[in-house]
Amino acid sequence: QQNCQVANIQVMPNFNRTLYAGTWYAVAKKDPEGLFLIDNVVAHFQIEEDGTMTATASGRVIILNNWEMCAQMLATFEETLDPAKFRMKYWGVANYLQSGNDDHWVIATDYDNYAVHYSCRVVDADGTCLDGYSFIFSRHPTGLRAEDQATVTQMKADICMLGKYRRVPHTGFCDTAT
Ligand code: AZE
């Protein structure tokens, strides 16, 4: 139905990082290959005095085959020519957690209720995404508002990930630490 070339994916026009700052609850996610955040994923974005964006995030993970824990993550964002497309450098507060450098694209957001995030880690030879992940974020831990659901569904289709998402439960697993 649409063009799934990563280079043609449309992102948020006139993205405003100040309005994007604050707490976002992941309500759904499309997983990448390998180890990933399982559930209880919450991200806090902030704009530093120098104008750069940083974030903290937490979520339940299982590492070393069987060790369940709350991963506390940190990230800095590097700007690109498109204000809605960042390079995210991230690492765990504990060194045995994951670290890396991923795209962080904001596909669409109304800043007050929902945000659709996209990250392609590996672009295939045909220009489509071979390995990527996406979060649907909400300002509300209870989920998306009914009136935002159609918009978000359309965005999932636009980034060629419709049907690949799973709900992200919030059970309080990561609520003890901060
Ligand atoms: C994101 C929100 C902004 C900050 C960060 C995010 C991503 C974090 C990961 C963490 C993976 C951790 C693992 C640990 C074993 C996009 C949610 C840092 C991808 C797999």
Side-chain angles (χ1 to χ4, degrees):
Q1 146 215 56
Q2 67 282 307
N3 182 327
C4 290
Q5 302 271 308
V6 175
N8 291 336
I9 285 176
Q10 301 298 304
V11 295
M12 181 68 188
N14 305 116
F15 178 72
N16 183 323
R17 72 181 83 173
T18 305
L19 297 178
Y20 186 64
T23 300
W24 289 104
Y25 300 90
V27 297
K29 68 183 164 89
K30 186 269 175 200
D31 291 332
E33 306 281 336
L35 215 54
F36 199 56
L37 301 167
I38 300 168
D39 53 30
N40 288 278
V41 181
V42 181
H44 307 274
F45 292 85
Q46 51 188 347
I47 309 305
E48 304 297 327
E49 275 175 34
D50 64 3
T52 60
M53 188 164 77
T54 60
T56 61
S58 57
R60 188 171 67 94
V61 292
I62 294 175
I63 54 172
L64 306 170
N65 290 319
N66 227 339
W67 186 21
E68 180 188 62
M69 66 173 294
C70 179
Q72 307 282 352
M73 309 297 296
L74 301 170
T76 58
F77 295 85
E78 187 184 306
E79 289 170 36
T80 69
L81 290 173
D82 189 316
K85 294 182 177 178
F86 295 88
R87 290 292 299 170
M88 179 183 83
K89 192 181 163 199
Y90 72 100
W91 61 96
V93 168
N95 61 16
Y96 46 79
L97 294 168
Q98 189 167 272
S99 62
N101 205 309
D102 287 344
D103 278 341
H104 186 96
W105 292 5
V106 180
I107 301 299
T109 182
D110 71 348
Y111 302 105
D112 294 326
N113 297 286
Y114 72 88
V116 177
H117 151 279
Y118 174 86
S119 177
C120 184
R121 282 181 170 164
V122 181
V123 179
D124 209 346
D126 65 2
T128 62
C129 189
L130 186 62
D131 181 21
Y133 64 99
S134 168
F135 283 104
I136 308 301
F137 288 121
S138 175
R139 292 293 193 188
H140 321 287
T142 45
L144 291 178
R145 300 183 309 161
E147 54 265 58
D148 297 327
Q149 272 157 19
T151 312
V152 168
T153 300
Q154 181 60 53
M155 295 303 151
K156 289 174 174 178
D158 290 348
I159 58 177
C160 301
M161 288 180 169
L162 188 61
K164 296 178 180 171
Y165 287 82
R166 301 180 64 169
R167 258 168 220 281
V168 178
H170 288 269
T171 62
F173 184 81
C174 287
D175 288 1
T176 44
T178 296

